[in-house]
Amino acid sequence: MKLFNIIAMLITLSALFGYLNHRFIKLPTTIGIMLISVLMSLGLVALGRIGPFGLGIEEHWEEIVKSIDFNQTLLVGMLGFLLFAGAFHINLNELLKHKWEIAAFATIGVVLSTFLVGTITYFVLSLLHLKIRFVYCMLFGALISPTDPIAVLGIMKKAGAPKSLEIKISGESLFNDGIGVVVFIVMLDIAMGGRDISAGEISLLFLEEALGGAVLGLMLGWIAYLILKSMDNYTVEILVTLSLVTGGYALASAVHTSGPIAIVIAGLLIGNHGRELAMSEKTRENIDTFWELIDEILNAILFVLIGIELIVVPISIHHLMAGLIAIPVAILSRFISIGIPGSLFNLMKRFSGQSLKLMTWGGLRGGISVALALSLPVGAERDIILTMTYTVVVFSILVQGLTIRYLFKPGASPAG
């Protein structure tokens, strides 16, 4: 299917589903769009199961969906824009107030959750007589442990979260995907049977990806800041921010550092110092509106993509059972992996039980987890992991995303 036709289809479906949600369902836009997309995919699958009456529609739709490289579309095409838009609107001073909690959750929390999810999943799948190597269970742990910044940022803004908690959850989600991807790369290298990887190599890979990405983002953000400060033309300044995202992400990939982390750092710099010191009021208004629109439009398209990917998920009854069990496993692991570092901050009166509950339920999984699962080599183990991943992601967005606002009681203010 030609690229233009794919883009046209996704935008048309996003507009149609957005209209249907706005007129009839009235859920938060991204959740409503994904729900309609999932229901459409289930309907097409059901239609394809009724023999000659299906008219080959399921096969035709499956062919269309398979022509979309979800992994490349999200991780290379859309992620940079979405991360920049999210980081652009986060208050850096508020973020720095919680830097140690965010750092602990994004590092210790992700690694601990990866181990917990992987270990529990291995024993659960053994009980279901689904044979899968332990390293593949750890791969599942690595891809499902990071919270998705796209899903989290989109829903937190509308959930009425206390500001301090919103900053913690949003800040963690912006940074922990970089850690999760590094862990995923290491586990994938082991799973492919190449060689043993030493602790030194893992540390070097982490420094190259995470620290290298942060330094690159700081450098590119500072250059963009100087350019913005030297002019007052909002059209050109918007182009500068676009070039920062596209060129910065491409450069990060070329020098083997983390593109997501580079763009987050650049977005924080431009969204704070850039907005305050390098832009006129007119430019600020236009650039805010532009990136808010980019954020909303790409989020809508992404959630359509997540919904229609259901049609290519190889579901069997055993795989579905594994997926349903993976939901409480992921939530429990999230609770423990946030609770352990959180308990250290609780000793300093900076973290409460209410915060733990909200961060556990508000730790949404999304498109990044699906994209990583789809990047696995084709085989039986990939099918199991893809089904489990998709089940957790759908539950996370539709159930946790819809109910998280009910945990925020009016007047409540969880501790820092």
Side-chain angles (χ1 to χ4, degrees):
M1 194 173 182
K2 293 181 179 179
L3 178 61
F4 180 79
N5 292 341
I6 291 174
I7 294 172
M9 180 194 72
L10 291 174
I11 292 176
T12 302
L13 288 176
S14 300
L16 175 62
F17 296 166
Y19 172 78
L20 292 173
N21 176 67
H22 179 75
R23 285 280 291 160
F24 304 109
I25 304 178
K26 302 187 185 303
L27 292 174
T29 304
T30 50
I31 296 178
I33 285 175
M34 180 176 160
L35 176 62
I36 297 171
S37 186
V38 167
L39 292 175
M40 183 193 73
S41 295
L42 289 172
L44 290 171
V45 171
L47 192 61
R49 297 289 190 269
I50 59 176
F53 300 102
L55 302 176
I57 192 168
E58 181 192 5
E59 290 78 6
H60 179 64
W61 185 249
E62 186 175 342
E63 184 180 337
I64 292 174
V65 174
K66 282 183 176 179
S67 69
I68 304 171
D69 191 331
F70 187 96
N71 183 271
Q72 289 294 304
T73 300
L74 175 56
L75 296 183
V76 178
M78 299 170 66
L79 185 58
F81 295 98
L82 290 163
L83 288 176
F84 185 86
F88 187 79
H89 293 102
I90 285 184
N91 187 301
L92 183 59
N93 292 327
E94 290 295 323
L95 190 70
L96 290 175
K97 288 179 183 177
H98 305 283
K99 58 183 179 295
W100 298 119
E101 296 101 307
I102 290 170
F105 298 145
T107 53
I108 298 170
V110 170
V111 173
L112 181 57
S113 177
T114 296
F115 176 78
L116 289 170
V117 171
T119 303
I120 297 172
T121 299
Y122 179 74
F123 287 108
V124 167
L125 294 181
S126 298
L127 292 174
L128 294 174
H129 304 292
L130 291 172
K131 294 183 179 180
I132 182 171
R133 286 186 290 161
F134 180 71
V135 68
Y136 270 90
C137 294
M138 294 297 289
L139 269 171
F140 174 65
L143 66 86
I144 210 67
S145 290
T147 53
D148 191 318
I150 300 161
V152 169
L153 290 170
I155 290 169
M156 280 294 114
K157 285 187 289 187
K158 300 177 178 65
K163 195 62 183 177
S164 63
L165 187 63
E166 181 186 340
I167 288 291
K168 283 181 189 176
I169 297 177
S170 300
E172 177 209 0
S173 68
L174 281 170
F175 288 102
N176 68 9
D177 65 301
I179 306 301
V181 169
V182 172
V183 176
F184 180 84
I185 291 171
V186 171
M187 292 300 168
L188 185 59
D189 199 3
I190 296 172
M192 296 306 291
R195 56 195 175 83
D196 293 330
I197 298 179
S198 67
E201 288 177 293
I202 294 173
S203 301
L204 184 62
L205 179 61
F206 172 78
L207 288 174
E208 184 180 320
E209 289 280 336
L211 185 60
V215 171
L216 179 64
L218 193 61
M219 290 172 53
L220 294 176
W222 183 252
I223 293 171
Y225 165 77
L226 294 177
I227 294 172
L228 294 172
K229 193 174 182 180
S230 68
M231 70 172 77
D232 184 16
N233 183 316
Y234 71 83
T235 303
V236 179
E237 290 179 75
I238 288 174
L239 283 172
V240 170
T241 60
L242 277 172
S243 69
L244 173 60
V245 173
T246 54
Y249 206 96
L251 180 59
S253 299
V255 298
H256 305 292
T257 61
S258 172
I261 291 178
I263 296 304
V264 166
I265 295 296
L268 287 170
L269 178 60
I270 299 300
N272 287 269
H273 296 300
R275 288 181 77 259
E276 293 299 320
L277 304 176
M279 298 178 191
S280 65
E281 185 176 347
K282 184 177 181 181
T283 295
R284 200 176 299 127
E285 290 174 0
N286 281 281
I287 213 164
D288 281 349
T289 301
F290 175 81
W291 280 106
E292 283 171 9
L293 283 172
I294 290 288
D295 189 34
E296 293 292 338
I297 291 169
L298 290 184
N299 260 295
I301 294 172
L302 173 61
F303 280 77
V304 166
L305 267 172
I306 294 174
I308 65 177
E309 282 290 327
L310 173 62
I311 203 164
V312 297
V313 175
I315 298 176
S316 70
I317 187 63
H318 286 92
H319 291 181
L320 185 58
M321 286 176 61
L324 293 174
I325 294 172
I327 293 170
V329 169
I331 294 172
L332 175 63
S333 299
R334 167 79 178 167
F335 178 82
I336 296 172
S337 63
I338 290 294
I340 289 178
S343 63
L344 301 177
F345 293 104
N346 194 33
L347 295 176
M348 298 181 283
K349 307 301 181 186
R350 297 175 62 181
F351 195 80
S352 68
Q354 176 75 349
S355 293
L356 174 59
K357 177 178 71 175
L358 294 171
M359 288 195 70
T360 298
W361 198 249
L364 309 181
R365 277 74 173 192
I368 292 176
S369 295
V370 176
L372 291 175
L374 287 167
S375 72
L376 294 171
V378 176
E381 291 169 317
R382 176 184 184 270
D383 292 347
I384 297 172
I385 290 175
L386 184 55
T387 303
M388 291 193 299
T389 301
Y390 201 88
T391 307
V392 172
V393 167
V394 170
F395 178 88
S396 175
I397 294 171
L398 295 184
V399 178
Q400 292 175 243
L402 278 176
T403 57
I404 182 66
R405 66 181 183 273
Y406 297 116
L407 299 182
F408 301 126
K409 298 176 182 177
S413 57

